[in-house]
Amino acid sequence: MSNQVIINNAVKKYGDFTALKGVSLNIKEGEFFTLLGPSGCGKTTLLRMIAGFNSIEGGEFFFGEKLINSVPAHKRDIGMVFQNYAIFPHLNVKDNVAYGLRARKMPEEAIENKVHEALELVQISHLADRKPNELSGGQQQRVALARAFVIEPSVLLMDEPLSNLDAKLRVQMRTVIKKLQKRLGITTIYVTHDQEEALAISDRIAVMKDGNIMQVGTPAEIYAKPQNPFVAGFIGISNFIDCNVVSDNRVDINGELSVDIPLKKEYRGKAILSARPEQLFFSKEGLPGKILFSTFLGDFVEYEVRLDNGQTLTINEYTKDNSAVYENGENVFISFDPARVSVYEAESQEVLSL
């Protein structure tokens, strides 16, 4: 049975360095939840605290209603998939997968059935008698997955499980993992620094920076409505344009474009407008600029445009909408849909837009 995972004000310190600064999360039962952020942000530290591998300097960790702070790792009923697979080189595939079941003293007949089912699920039953050194990276990762979920843990933890695979295999394996997780319904907490991977695989994402949670939301929420410039810049590509809020909902950009953007509170002063490359478009009037460079990428053309104020923007124009390609050096005007962009206070970086 899967568990809800609740973390209240988690703190982790290494000497004078605070790796986690009061992190709180509520991960739903059966959810695929991803901890996403750059190296050193605290995501693996948090995962290891959930697993029981790291000490806890502050805060509370619950599986369901059970406080697990003092519960040893081997009694937390977790499955773990590591970056380096951590499968036993001296055991064949089926004995690797059976290891956790034997540690639980399950009868051999039941073990054989469960191992067979697990290998069928990850589609490597034909490799049951092979040793790890006879397997590809993707096959080894499937063994690690089967070993983790065959014990039917209440929580499955994955630490950068695809980072050692090539790009094509990563895409294939993330689909395997997502389908398996949905089929089995195990609460899964997944660590990655790969934004595309997180967007593709997650029910919800927590974006982390410097030991803090910057935003929690669905992939669509995180991408379309980032709550601060860090999230906007870390997830995908964002253009940041200096602007001023001059009156209620009125945003002025360099005195060249003035638009109404719905804001959630009264504010006057310097601000930052954030827009994805696909949220900008060429128009008959707007922000004046010049095409610096264009790259044809099949479905769309990516343009690098320098505004008259010196700022450089990236714009994607889809070929299904316009077959013509602008020439380098061509003068253009840039515009956007005010309802789709984000606006932040320049100093506090608090989100202003709805």
Side-chain angles (χ1 to χ4, degrees):
M1 180 179 175
S2 287
N3 261 326
Q4 180 186 27
V5 178
I6 300 170
I7 302 166
N8 294 326
N9 203 31
V11 175
K12 177 63 186 172
K13 295 183 179 180
Y14 297 100
D16 295 332
F17 173 68
T18 303
L20 290 178
K21 303 170 182 175
V23 168
S24 295
L25 290 170
N26 190 332
I27 298 165
K28 302 169 188 175
E29 183 181 331
E31 184 173 32
F32 198 119
F33 192 92
T34 296
L35 303 174
L36 172 68
S39 297
C41 71
K43 56 189 186 295
T44 293
T45 296
L46 180 58
L47 192 80
R48 291 179 63 83
M49 291 170 79
I50 297 168
F53 300 156
N54 281 351
S55 62
I56 299 170
E57 274 67 59
E60 297 174 319
F61 288 72
F62 291 89
F63 283 3
E65 297 181 354
K66 182 180 180 181
L67 181 68
I68 62 163
N69 285 45
S70 57
V71 177
H74 68 280
K75 293 186 177 179
R76 292 196 181 187
D77 192 22
I78 61 166
M80 187 90 188
V81 181
F82 298 92
Q83 180 176 349
N84 62 355
Y85 318 140
I87 55 180
F88 303 115
H90 62 290
L91 299 179
N92 64 20
V93 167
K94 64 183 179 185
D95 287 336
N96 260 286
V97 175
Y99 183 85
L101 298 173
R102 291 197 173 109
R104 286 164 167 75
K105 311 292 187 187
M106 184 174 284
E108 278 299 318
E109 185 178 344
I111 289 175
E112 189 173 336
N113 291 334
K114 280 189 167 292
V115 169
H116 178 72
E117 289 173 7
L119 295 179
E120 285 284 331
L121 271 175
V122 296
Q123 300 177 337
I124 55 169
S125 56
H126 60 293
L127 304 175
D129 295 318
R130 290 195 188 179
K131 292 286 184 68
N133 65 356
E134 300 174 295
L135 305 176
S136 68
Q139 290 166 342
Q140 289 183 47
Q141 189 58 276
R142 288 172 189 257
V143 175
L145 282 170
R147 187 182 61 185
F149 69 68
V150 74
I151 60 173
E152 299 179 5
S154 62
V155 178
L156 181 60
L157 307 177
M158 299 194 186
D159 187 10
E160 302 265 13
L162 306 182
S163 60
N164 289 337
L165 304 179
D166 63 55
K168 185 176 180 180
L169 195 51
R170 278 204 305 271
V171 172
Q172 181 186 6
M173 284 303 301
R174 77 188 187 199
T175 303
V176 169
I177 289 172
K178 180 69 172 176
K179 287 180 177 178
L180 271 174
Q181 192 272 339
K182 285 301 165 196
R183 179 169 176 176
L184 299 170
I186 300 174
T187 305
T188 300
I189 305 173
Y190 188 97
V191 163
T192 184
H193 64 275
D194 187 314
Q195 305 96 315
E196 182 182 304
E197 189 172 290
L199 292 172
I201 210 168
S202 313
D203 293 323
R204 285 193 302 153
I205 300 168
V207 183
M208 298 183 67
K209 177 191 178 189
D210 298 335
N212 294 300
I213 301 290
M214 304 302 289
Q215 185 176 351
V216 177
T218 66
E221 290 167 347
I222 294 279
Y223 186 83
K225 292 294 180 182
Q227 292 300 295
N228 49 72
F230 174 79
V231 174
F234 188 75
I235 303 287
I237 299 171
S238 282
N239 297 288
F240 296 105
I241 303 170
D242 297 330
C243 60
N244 284 282
V245 180
V246 294
S247 63
D248 290 346
N249 299 333
R250 196 71 177 171
V251 176
D252 178 81
I253 304 173
N254 308 323
E256 297 166 333
L257 181 64
S258 186
V259 292
D260 285 322
I261 299 177
L263 304 181
K264 65 181 183 180
K265 70 172 189 177
E266 287 189 14
Y267 175 77
R268 303 286 186 280
K270 292 183 179 180
I272 302 167
L273 185 145
S274 168
R276 304 288 186 188
E278 69 273 15
Q279 293 171 341
L280 298 173
F281 54 85
F282 298 108
S283 57
K284 293 182 179 179
E285 55 184 19
L287 295 171
K290 181 178 289 188
I291 303 289
L292 293 181
F293 196 73
S294 65
T295 305
F296 180 78
L297 295 169
D299 288 345
F300 64 93
V301 180
E302 181 182 274
Y303 292 98
E304 189 176 314
V305 178
R306 179 179 290 147
L307 299 180
D308 283 3
N309 73 344
Q311 285 188 276
T312 301
L313 307 180
T314 299
I315 300 172
N316 292 345
E317 185 171 65
Y318 288 87
T319 49
K320 68 179 179 60
D321 300 322
N322 192 350
S323 59
V325 177
Y326 288 96
E327 298 292 333
N328 294 348
E330 194 169 344
N331 292 316
V332 292
F333 289 99
I334 307 300
S335 193
F336 53 85
D337 179 354
R340 297 187 65 199
V341 299
S342 299
V343 179
Y344 310 98
E345 286 188 28
E347 188 171 344
S348 71
Q349 303 208 331
E350 178 187 349
V351 66
L352 293 167
S353 48
L354 295 172

